[in-house]
Each structure stands twice: as structure tokens, then as C-alpha cells.
Amino acid sequence: MELKKDINAVSIDMLLIVHSEKRRAAQGTHSDLQADPGALLQRCGGFQGVGNGVRRWQKLEGNNLHGNLAEKQHLQQPQVITSYDNQGTQLTVEVHPRDAMPQLLKKFSLAKRLQGDKNGNTRPRQPEGKDAHAYPWDRSSLKSMPLDLRQFEKLDTYASQVTAKSGLDELVNDLLQEAHSDLERVRAIWIWICHHIEYDMAAAQEKDHQAFKPTDILRTQKTNCDGYAGLFERMCRIAGVQCMTVPGYSKGFGYQTGQSFSGEFDHAWNAVYLEGRWHLVDSTWGSGLVDTTTSKFTFLYNEFYFLTHPALFIEDHFPDNKNWQLLKPPQSLRQFENNMYHKSEFYNKGMLSAHPETSVIRTVNGKATVTIESCAPTLFMFMLNGKQEHGLLSLRKNGMKLEVYPPTMGTHKLQIFAKGNSDIYSSVLEYTLKCNYVDMGVQLPAELHQPVGPSWFSEQMGITKPSHPDPLIHTSDGRCSISFGVEEGISVLASLHGDDGPITEETQRRYIFQLHREKRIELKVQLPHAGKFALKIFVKKRQEPGNYIFVFNYLLCCANTKVNWPVFPESFGNWGQDNELLEPLSGVLPANRNVPFKLKLHGIAKVLVKGQDTWPLTLNHEGYWEGSCSTAGCQEVYVMVLENANHNFYSYILKYKVNAQ
């Protein structure tokens, strides 16, 4: 190579650049598209491997450094030939007219394009020890460098609104108008790509390498993972920031828990050099999601994949070169395959850890237990084989505990979802559950919803200081009494649910009798038979329209086969909040009997019990209305009250049925 240089000119007959860097990836696969069940519970991943696509892309790139060229100029452009040896060494040779400026020199050496390091080196250096982060994750940050995302608010807004008017150089120049550091330059490029380039399913399926060309990406605003990574690298280099494309394996679309990886790579992402250290980004997975049912892309920005902490990035990205893990110690492929996969939403919604830490778990005596630790109170739900059944999920201030009882032996799919600050539950974990024994004594009611037991959430909804803090309540005689404090203005509704009769939708609330004592509510419960029942608790603000909101439920268990309690009497709207019923508590009265009544009612002038005849109750010195009535000759008995002594209008407050003779 002959090099002549003075102040005014640079002349190079041939430029030879050697990169010792493995470049192998899959062709024609898109297994790294991230997806979860449900239309909005999936993320888009990268799709097509690099492989020959990178080689082809570089050849095309060399011919299109300044945007679209006229076809007639094509033959006059320099040729860029890239090849690799068996060791993965990259060799790039440019052949150009003697009097022309070398294109690769423009690309790699012009100060405005790619600035060298302090030693004047323009070729991006390989990662070193100082780039590595400790593994496992130390919980300090989701990012690989200290960031205050609020500092990007103005820049993000600006970058997301920039339009591509012509070539790539002009676009980058426009983006950098509001960027004043390498970090801000990278951020502007990242935001633009994530908000303007959509994933092209057709290109991935058809193995269309044209989708890698930056000029075509700008024109169509569509590409696959290789195009995302190549475009990001190219724009960073134009901006003067060192950037590399990294191929590898990913846990994305089509990934099965615990699967092994072999053969060609299926994804590509980037490493970018900032503040003396390499950092990782994946603009494909940062841009949005693909609906697995319709294969349509939706822009849904995901901050997680911008400068992700390497100890988190390794959960779903395994690079071809272990040095690009940026970890100390690096993980093996076997570890990558076996390690638990926490989806990005796991960390986005404030989760810190989960146990077990393996993706495949086995039941012990028919039960599997999963716990999650979070940095703030979070709502969770789960699905076992697509149904919210066969589990007890209890909320904790910093996480949750889930006990699962598979109904059959074999392999089951367990998914866990978290809500966070949004209104949508997102999939955060997925386990493969293997069960070799079923405990037939643990058959949970199908109506047992999540969560079970009181928690920070029930307290937030106005229910405080419960008499039973645990979700399970055992009763030997089929009866129990549960009480809790209630904030001012909150109404409570409760219903009882079992898997077999005699409970019907009409009688779900008749096995519960609700009493109010000052600022506490007592629920008296009588079970119709032995078994397991879900006691659901709902709340509603009295002054607000709308339905009652489910808050939590208890699991009531009774093994006494002699239990056969009837329903409570039916109460009407005029049954006051502070009223108290002592007797009769059974809603079904015996025929041809004198039945005693004892109630505490507030603000009442007169009380009558009406059967075939009418019997008045009297007020004793303790404040209880007492008396009796005969059930002879009647099928129903009512308790009626007169609130104003000056009026003659009585209101029904309780209704009893009389057994047939």
C-alpha cells in the first residue's frame, strides 16, 4: 500500500482493513421475535440472522454511502469486497479509480464521521476487562451506566419527530441538532429508529437481504433485526460514535422454556462505545411488538433495551463472541439455556428476583411454590395452562407468593403476569411445571380468584385490620365469623362460591350475613356442606356510580360431612348498617312453631313480625327488640319497621321462609 500525505491531500491506491471478528448468523430464521400470549403481551424481537446477509449488506452499503445514486453512475462507483476466513477474520478491500476519494476512507477516517480514540485509532476496539460488569446482577440499576431518563425528555421528543427527508447523512445531521454529547447522539439515533422503523415480517420470512440496506430501510421504514442493527451502527458511525453489530442467539419468538440452541445465529443487536466503555442496545426489541395471532407489528417503545445492564441483557441475548457479553465471569451457552428467563417487563415493572431460579420446576407432594420479590407493591396474576385456576396467589408488600396444585400429572405451562403502574397485566415469567403426583385432597374452587387473603391492596381499597390475615380459614362446624375495619364511605359486598350445590347464583350471598359495628364489618358465614369455598370480598364507594370491585377472597375449608347449614334470612335495602341480628339466624323457619326474635335496630319507632298474623316486638333496656311469632299457616315471615312514629308506612327489612309441613 502506497500512502502519500501532505496538508492538502490524501492519496491511497488501495486501502486494506482487517477486522478479527466472527460473523456468523442464521439465514431465514426469525426465532428471536419476542412474544407472549395475548395480543398486547408480546414484544417484537430481531428476526433474520446476519450471515451472508451482512456480507451482502456491506457490499450494497459501499455503493450507497450518500443515498440513492443514479443507475448510470453505478459502474463508476468503487467496488467493496468483503470476505471471511475459517477463523472468522473479516477482510475488506476497496477498488476505486486512481483519482477518486476512497469510500472506506470516508467511512472510517473522516473526523466528522468516526472519531478515533486518544491514540488516534479509528477501528473500534474489542471489549476488554474494563468493559465487563459483575455477574450476577447487583440490583443497582437496569442500565450499564448512570442515567436520569428525565434528562432525555426534550431530546426524545425532538428525535421522535424528525423526518427522513433524503439520505442517511442528512437524517443524522438533523438528529444531532439537539445532541451535545456522544450519549445524546446515541440516544437521538435510538429514539428515531425505535419510533420510525417497523419490523417487516414479510422480509424476514422471504429472507429479503434488500431489507438490510439503509437506503431501502429509510424508503420503506421497515426491516428485520439485521436491518435494525446495521442501520443503528451506520448512523452511529456517521455521528462519530463507535458502534458494532453483534450477532447471536436470542430467547424470542418461538422460544420454548428450557430449549437448547445450536447451528446458525438468529438475531443481531449492537454494542456502542460511550464514556470509555462498551454498552449494549437492541433497537429491534426496543421498537415494538408483533401480535402472534395476526403477525402485525405495533409500535410500543421499550426503554429496557437501551444501554441494558449486561447481567440482564444476557438473559435473552447470547453473542457469538463471549467477550460481547461484557460480563465477568462470562456465561456459557449451557448456562444461557438453563438460566431462568425474566422478560423485560419483569424488570420494567420493578421485579428484583424470582424463585425458583430455574425455568423447569417439579412439584413436591403435588405442589409447586413460586415467590417474586419486587421493589414496590405490585398486583400479580397467574395462568396454569391458560386458566386462572388451581393456585393460591397472595400479595406481599414487596412481591407475592404463589402455590400451584396441578390437577393432573404431566407437564404444565405456568405463566405469571404483573400489572405495575399500567392498567394492563404483562407477562413477566414463564415456567415449565412437571407434576408426578396429584393431591386429590386439594381441589380448589374454580371461582377462587386472585389474590387470596387481605394485603396492601385490600388496605388501599379501604379494608383494614382483618381478623383473619391468612387466606385459609378452617372450620370444624361449618361456621365462621370474619371481621375487618372499613374506611368511611366504603360499602362491602360478599358472596360464597363452591363447585357443587346447593349454592346457586341466587343464594351466593344468603350464606353470609353482614353486620356493622361502628367502623367494622362482621361477616357471619354458614356453609351448606363440607368442602372448600371461595368467600369473595367486593368494595364500592357509596357516592360513586358503577359496580363493586373485587378485592380479594378467602378459602374456607370444612371436612365435617355432617355440616348442612341453611341460608341466612334475606335482607333488604332498609336493613341499616349498624343493625344486629341475634336470632333467628337461619333463613328457613320450622312450621307450626313459636319462633323467638331478637334484633338491635337504630332509629326505629316500631317493629312488627308478620306471618299469617302480626306480632309486635318490644324494646328492652339493653336496646334489643324482642318477641316471638307463630309460623302456623304461613310460608313466609317478614320483619317490618316503622321509622317515624307519626307515619303509618312500614318497611320490610328481613324475610324468612317457612318449611313445608
Side-chain angles (χ1 to χ4, degrees):
M1 178 175 70
E2 179 183 356
L3 177 63
K4 297 178 181 179
K5 181 177 180 181
D6 58 29
I7 298 176
N8 300 314
V10 175
S11 175
I12 295 179
D13 287 333
M14 183 174 74
L15 177 67
L16 188 67
I17 297 177
V18 178
H19 290 294
S20 178
E21 183 178 327
K22 287 176 66 180
R23 295 279 185 170
R24 56 191 183 97
Q27 300 181 54
T29 64
H30 50 279
S31 63
D32 53 345
L33 160 59
Q34 294 215 348
D36 298 319
L40 287 180
L41 293 180
Q42 40 268 324
R43 297 187 308 277
C44 165
F47 316 100
Q48 180 127 357
V50 182
N52 293 337
V54 168
R55 192 177 305 176
R56 173 66 173 161
W57 174 79
Q58 289 178 331
K59 185 179 294 186
L60 290 166
E61 179 189 50
N63 292 330
N64 292 276
L65 287 173
H66 299 290
N68 293 322
L69 297 179
E71 185 66 27
K72 63 183 181 180
Q73 295 177 307
H74 180 74
L75 295 176
Q76 300 177 6
Q77 295 302 308
Q79 280 187 286
V80 179
I81 303 170
T82 301
S83 184
Y84 307 88
D85 66 11
N86 292 333
Q87 302 302 316
T89 299
Q90 174 183 327
L91 176 66
T92 302
V93 177
E94 177 182 312
V95 181
H96 62 90
R98 178 176 294 274
D99 297 330
M101 171 67 78
Q103 296 297 311
L104 285 175
L105 183 61
K106 288 183 180 180
K107 178 179 179 183
F108 291 112
S109 300
L110 293 181
K112 296 253 184 185
R113 294 294 181 88
L114 180 62
Q115 298 172 350
D117 59 22
K118 294 180 180 179
N119 299 320
N121 299 319
T122 57
R123 176 184 169 285
R125 70 164 177 80
Q126 293 294 303
E128 302 169 350
K130 68 177 183 179
D131 298 295
H133 295 252
Y135 184 90
W137 183 47
D138 61 6
R139 300 187 178 188
S140 60
S141 173
L142 300 182
K143 303 296 186 182
S144 54
M145 63 188 299
L147 286 183
D148 181 358
L149 295 178
R150 293 172 296 182
Q151 76 183 70
F152 296 131
E153 289 177 356
K154 182 180 178 181
L155 178 63
D156 289 355
T157 301
Y158 169 78
S160 64
Q161 295 173 352
V162 170
T163 57
K165 301 182 181 67
S166 56
L168 204 58
D169 292 78
E170 183 179 355
L171 171 61
V172 174
N173 184 63
D174 289 343
L175 287 172
L176 300 191
Q177 295 302 310
E178 297 294 328
H180 307 294
S181 66
D182 280 356
L183 173 60
E184 291 186 351
R185 294 181 186 99
V186 169
R187 180 71 179 190
I189 293 168
W190 156 270
I191 287 293
W192 188 89
I193 291 177
C194 288
H195 287 78
H196 289 83
I197 306 302
E198 65 177 273
Y199 177 68
D200 190 347
M201 286 289 290
Q205 294 170 350
E206 296 172 6
K207 311 173 187 178
D208 182 6
H209 295 303
Q210 287 292 106
F212 302 167
K213 272 182 66 175
T215 50
D216 282 329
I217 296 173
L218 287 190
R219 178 177 55 81
T220 64
Q221 303 227 326
K222 292 182 178 181
T223 189
N224 49 29
C225 72
D226 302 295
Y228 276 102
L231 180 64
F232 188 88
E233 177 181 346
R234 179 75 182 283
M235 293 176 73
C236 283
R237 293 196 173 202
I238 291 175
V241 179
Q242 294 188 39
C243 181
M244 298 287 287
T245 295
V246 181
Y249 294 124
S250 68
K251 293 180 179 179
F253 183 73
Y255 169 72
Q256 299 294 323
T257 302
Q259 80 172 60
S260 59
F261 292 86
S262 62
E264 308 256 350
F265 296 113
D266 59 19
H267 190 34
W269 55 93
N270 295 101
V272 63
Y273 194 73
L274 295 171
E275 299 184 7
R277 201 175 193 182
W278 285 106
H279 303 268
L280 301 169
V281 300
D282 187 339
S283 56
T284 312
W285 288 7
S287 63
L289 56 86
V290 170
D291 187 333
T292 53
T293 59
T294 64
S295 295
K296 290 186 177 179
F297 175 86
T298 299
F299 281 106
L300 187 64
Y301 177 71
N302 192 344
E303 172 64 37
F304 180 77
Y305 291 104
F306 178 73
L307 307 186
T308 315
H309 194 292
L312 304 181
F313 204 76
I314 191 62
E315 293 202 22
D316 46 18
H317 293 73
F318 188 83
D320 67 333
N321 184 332
K322 67 179 182 180
N323 292 333
W324 286 116
Q325 293 181 25
L326 306 183
L327 288 177
K328 185 167 53 178
Q331 299 293 287
S332 68
L333 180 59
R334 179 62 60 88
Q335 288 174 307
F336 174 74
E337 293 170 344
N338 294 336
N339 284 349
M340 185 63 205
Y341 170 35
H342 305 90
K343 302 183 181 182
S344 64
E345 286 301 287
F346 181 90
Y347 298 107
N348 284 340
K349 294 185 181 296
M351 311 297 107
L352 296 173
S353 65
H355 297 275
E357 296 181 339
T358 57
S359 57
V360 179
I361 55 179
R362 299 181 182 276
T363 58
V364 177
N365 296 325
K367 181 179 77 171
T369 302
V370 175
T371 60
I372 291 180
E373 181 185 358
S374 61
C375 58
T378 304
L379 289 175
F380 294 89
M381 61 170 281
F382 78 93
M383 283 189 177
L384 183 66
N385 301 324
K387 295 182 179 180
Q388 299 181 47
E389 298 178 359
H390 309 295
L392 300 175
L393 189 153
S394 54
L395 299 176
R396 299 173 173 178
K397 283 190 176 180
N398 292 300
M400 70 87 171
K401 179 182 179 181
L402 171 63
E403 295 178 344
V404 183
Y405 302 87
T408 60
M409 292 189 292
T411 301
H412 304 266
K413 182 179 180 180
L414 175 62
Q415 297 166 283
I416 298 176
F417 304 84
K419 194 172 185 180
N421 295 324
S422 68
D423 294 329
I424 299 175
Y425 280 91
S426 301
S427 176
V428 295
L429 282 180
E430 184 173 311
Y431 287 96
T432 295
L433 182 58
K434 294 185 179 295
C435 177
N436 57 9
Y437 169 78
V438 175
D439 187 348
M440 301 306 295
V442 183
Q443 293 184 353
L444 304 177
E447 287 290 330
L448 186 72
H449 289 174
Q450 309 153 44
V452 293
S455 66
W456 62 266
F457 178 64
S458 55
E459 186 172 343
Q460 180 178 295
M461 298 300 289
I463 294 178
T464 62
K465 299 178 180 178
S467 60
H468 294 68
D470 295 328
L472 270 66
I473 298 176
H474 293 272
T475 169
S476 58
D477 64 356
R479 295 186 295 181
C480 64
S481 177
I482 302 166
S483 64
F484 40 77
V486 179
E487 292 183 358
E488 188 70 28
I490 297 293
S491 294
V492 175
L493 186 68
S495 60
L496 189 69
H497 303 261
D499 282 342
D500 46 21
I503 296 181
T504 64
E505 186 173 348
E506 183 180 340
T507 61
Q508 283 170 354
R509 290 190 289 274
R510 294 286 304 282
Y511 288 95
I512 306 164
F513 199 80
Q514 186 169 312
L515 302 174
H516 298 257
R517 291 192 176 95
E518 297 180 349
K519 294 183 178 181
R520 289 187 71 81
I521 284 181
E522 180 183 1
L523 301 176
K524 292 183 177 291
V525 183
Q526 296 182 164
L527 301 181
H529 54 80
K532 293 182 175 63
F533 299 84
L535 176 63
K536 294 186 178 182
I537 310 295
F538 303 82
V539 301
K540 177 183 179 297
K541 290 186 177 180
R542 295 193 194 102
Q543 303 303 322
E544 294 184 1
N547 299 323
Y548 280 83
I549 300 172
F550 171 74
V551 180
F552 72 97
N553 43 209
Y554 284 105
L555 176 61
L556 308 185
C557 304
C558 178
N560 188 348
T561 56
K562 296 181 180 180
V563 166
N564 184 24
W565 292 105
V567 294
F568 285 102
E570 183 177 356
S571 60
F572 297 98
N574 289 332
W575 176 260
Q577 285 195 14
D578 296 323
N579 293 346
E580 183 179 350
L581 174 65
L582 269 68
E583 59 177 347
L585 289 175
S586 173
V588 181
L589 304 178
N592 302 317
R593 296 279 186 88
N594 282 326
V595 179
F597 281 76
K598 187 175 183 180
L599 309 90
K600 178 172 282 188
L601 307 172
H602 298 275
I604 299 299
K606 292 182 180 180
V607 181
L608 300 176
V609 179
K610 184 179 183 304
Q612 186 172 8
D613 298 312
T614 301
W615 290 266
L617 301 184
T618 58
L619 185 64
N620 67 19
H621 66 280
E622 295 177 343
Y624 289 94
W625 292 89
E626 291 183 303
S628 63
C629 84
S630 173
T631 59
C634 62
Q635 296 179 338
E636 297 174 335
V637 172
Y638 293 89
V639 177
M640 305 183 299
V641 297
L642 180 68
E643 297 182 20
N644 191 328
N646 297 322
H647 296 165
N648 294 320
F649 179 75
Y650 281 82
S651 301
Y652 292 102
I653 60 172
L654 294 175
K655 175 184 175 181
Y656 294 84
K657 288 191 175 294
V658 178
N659 266 331
Q661 297 184 12

